[in-house]
Amino acid sequence: VDESELLTVPDGWKEPAFTREDNPKGLLEESSFATLFPKYREAYLKECWPLVQKALGEHYVNAALDLIEGSMTVTTTKKTFDPYAIIRARDLIKLLARSVPFEQVFRILQDDVACDIIKIGSLVRKRETFIKRRARLLGPKGSTLKALELLTNCYIMVQGNTVSALGPFSGLKEVRKVVLDTMKNIHPIYNIKTLMIKRELAKDPELRTQSWERFLPKFKRKNLKKRKEPKKKNTKKEYTPFPPPQPESQIDKELASGEYFLKERQKKRKKMEEIKAKQADAIKKRQEERNKAFIPPKEKPAVKTKKASTEKKIDIEAIKEKVKNAKKKKLGALPEEEVKLKMAADEKKKKKK
């Protein structure tokens, strides 16, 4: 047998089921698991509990429903031979408490089916943002969730702060990735496109051993907002071990300018003069701005008209002769000289004949 055939799992292969012959003496200790359920699930659990007991009874696991405490308990018995049956029973009651219907839950007792409960409540800070991103998983009329279920062969239930998934191990891995990416603000449609391409590539036996990176799409974020740079940039000064010089006090400034030795009246008069000087400057600037509206705009220089050129002189006599000749001509008839010439030409032709 070739080594390549030994390394690959043949299509349709299943691990043989665990039977009583594999563990004839049963289990040494009794194991039990319990879980609480919300009040609104009580009516449904009452109805389907006989079916739950029947399904678990085939694996020799007891199930108890406590309506007063609001809990479900599963325990092994002396006849239980499969040590993993209690783990499957624990997952079964967990899914029932999270609003998954029994028609889907009983599949967890199969060997090739597992479940995954993804907690999404603490992944987003704001409640409004969390609700919007959770709604993306469902899509319009549940279309996105249905597409994800078809591609992963898993049953997905979005309830409250958790997402419950039930199906094969490979599908659960993809579901967890899509759910976590959606909570990180990556739309599930991108992952669905990738899953569709992977599904088509898996059909080709030649591509199974090759890398699929070249076929998978690479989506880039287009709506990334650039961080606004602050108007005032604080630049760090170089570190010096010496402290900065002590700032001058008001008295030091007055001593330097000589104001300290002035009397109170003189100080007040000086301050008033400074205020009046500032007011005068402000009034002057304001007046200049107002006068700008009354300043006439600069006129464009007038364009000088060119004098008519006297180089081409009109010949008046030649025009008079043309007018005289035109008057002699009759409209629709030839002049007399041309008529005589034509008559003489016709007579010459007749003589020649």
Side-chain angles (χ1 to χ4, degrees):
V1 182
D2 295 335
E3 289 183 5
S4 60
E5 291 180 7
L6 290 171
L7 293 170
T8 55
V9 179
D11 294 332
W13 180 85
K14 284 186 179 181
E15 194 173 344
F18 194 86
T19 58
R20 184 171 283 282
E21 294 174 1
D22 297 321
N23 188 16
K25 293 183 179 180
L27 304 175
L28 294 171
E29 294 290 335
E30 185 181 292
S31 302
S32 66
F33 288 100
T35 185
L36 299 171
F37 60 86
K39 187 73 176 173
Y40 62 85
R41 290 290 289 168
E42 187 177 325
Y44 180 79
L45 291 171
K46 271 186 188 177
E47 290 178 8
C48 71
W49 197 250
L51 297 170
V52 173
Q53 287 178 325
K54 186 182 177 183
L56 292 174
E58 293 175 2
H59 296 268
Y60 304 102
V61 177
N62 287 336
L65 178 67
D66 189 350
L67 296 174
I68 296 166
E69 191 184 344
S71 65
M72 294 178 282
T73 311
V74 287
T75 54
T76 57
T77 60
K78 290 179 181 180
K79 291 183 179 180
T80 309
F81 61 88
D82 187 1
Y84 201 73
I86 189 66
I87 303 297
R88 292 203 183 102
R90 180 201 64 182
D91 292 340
L92 185 142
I93 59 174
K94 272 187 179 181
L95 292 169
L96 280 172
R98 280 176 168 79
S99 301
V100 181
F102 179 75
E103 290 79 8
Q104 295 290 338
V105 167
F106 82 95
R107 289 168 53 211
I108 195 68
L109 300 172
Q110 299 171 13
D111 289 337
D112 56 344
V113 177
C115 75
D116 189 9
I117 295 165
I118 308 156
K119 293 179 181 179
I120 57 173
S122 59
L123 297 176
V124 184
R125 288 183 181 180
K126 291 184 180 179
R127 185 69 183 170
E128 294 175 1
T129 312
F130 168 73
I131 291 164
K132 284 180 183 178
R133 291 182 187 176
R134 187 180 62 182
R136 284 182 196 170
L137 276 172
L138 300 171
K141 297 180 182 179
S143 57
T144 306
L145 194 69
K146 190 68 181 174
L148 199 60
E149 286 179 349
L150 291 170
L151 288 166
T152 56
N153 297 322
C154 293
Y155 175 81
I156 305 165
M157 182 72 184
V158 181
Q159 177 74 10
N161 293 334
T162 58
V163 177
S164 305
L166 183 74
F169 293 97
S170 58
L172 292 174
K173 189 180 176 183
E174 297 294 342
V175 170
R176 178 170 273 274
K177 184 181 179 299
V178 173
V179 170
L180 293 177
D181 283 353
T182 306
M183 290 295 117
K184 291 175 185 174
N185 202 19
I186 298 169
H187 203 280
I189 197 69
Y190 298 126
N191 286 311
I192 286 168
K193 284 181 180 179
T194 307
L195 288 172
M196 288 171 73
I197 294 164
K198 282 182 179 178
R199 194 178 187 181
E200 293 298 320
L201 292 169
K203 293 177 183 178
D204 193 348
E206 293 179 1
L207 293 170
R208 282 187 180 182
T209 55
Q210 296 179 14
S211 177
W212 292 351
E213 287 294 325
R214 55 201 171 106
F215 300 109
L216 299 177
K218 293 177 182 178
F219 300 106
K220 294 180 181 179
R221 291 187 180 184
K222 294 179 182 178
N223 58 346
L224 282 174
K225 292 181 180 178
K226 291 182 179 178
R227 184 177 172 272
K228 290 182 179 178
E229 293 182 0
K231 290 180 179 178
K232 293 180 180 178
K233 291 183 179 180
N234 296 326
T235 54
K236 287 186 177 181
K237 297 176 181 178
E238 292 182 5
Y239 173 74
T240 54
F242 305 105
Q246 191 174 359
E248 288 185 352
S249 64
Q250 190 68 25
I251 295 168
D252 293 335
K253 289 177 182 177
E254 287 179 359
L255 285 167
S257 61
E259 290 180 23
Y260 184 79
F261 304 103
L262 296 174
K263 293 179 181 180
E264 286 295 324
R265 288 180 183 178
Q266 292 173 336
K267 285 180 183 179
K268 285 182 181 179
R269 195 186 301 152
K270 193 176 182 181
K271 280 183 182 179
M272 287 299 293
E273 286 174 1
E274 289 175 359
I275 291 165
K276 284 179 181 179
K278 284 181 182 179
Q279 286 176 352
D281 291 338
I283 291 164
K284 191 178 180 182
K285 286 179 183 178
R286 208 178 302 128
Q287 199 67 34
E288 285 176 0
E289 288 179 1
R290 285 177 183 173
N291 292 336
K292 280 180 184 178
F294 301 102
I295 296 168
K298 291 181 180 179
E299 293 181 0
K300 294 179 181 179
V303 181
K304 294 179 180 179
T305 53
K306 293 181 180 179
K307 293 180 180 180
S309 58
T310 54
E311 293 176 1
K312 295 179 181 179
K313 292 180 180 180
I314 299 165
D315 195 355
I316 296 166
E317 293 180 359
I319 291 167
K320 284 180 180 179
E321 287 179 6
K322 284 182 181 179
V323 172
K324 284 179 183 178
N325 292 331
K327 284 181 180 179
K328 288 179 183 178
K329 290 180 182 179
K330 292 181 181 180
L331 292 170
L334 296 169
E336 291 177 4
E337 294 177 358
E338 289 182 6
V339 172
K340 288 177 182 179
L341 290 170
K342 278 189 177 182
M343 290 287 286
D346 290 336
E347 286 176 3
K348 285 179 181 179
K349 286 179 181 178
K350 285 177 182 179
K351 286 178 183 180
K352 286 179 181 178
K353 289 178 180 180

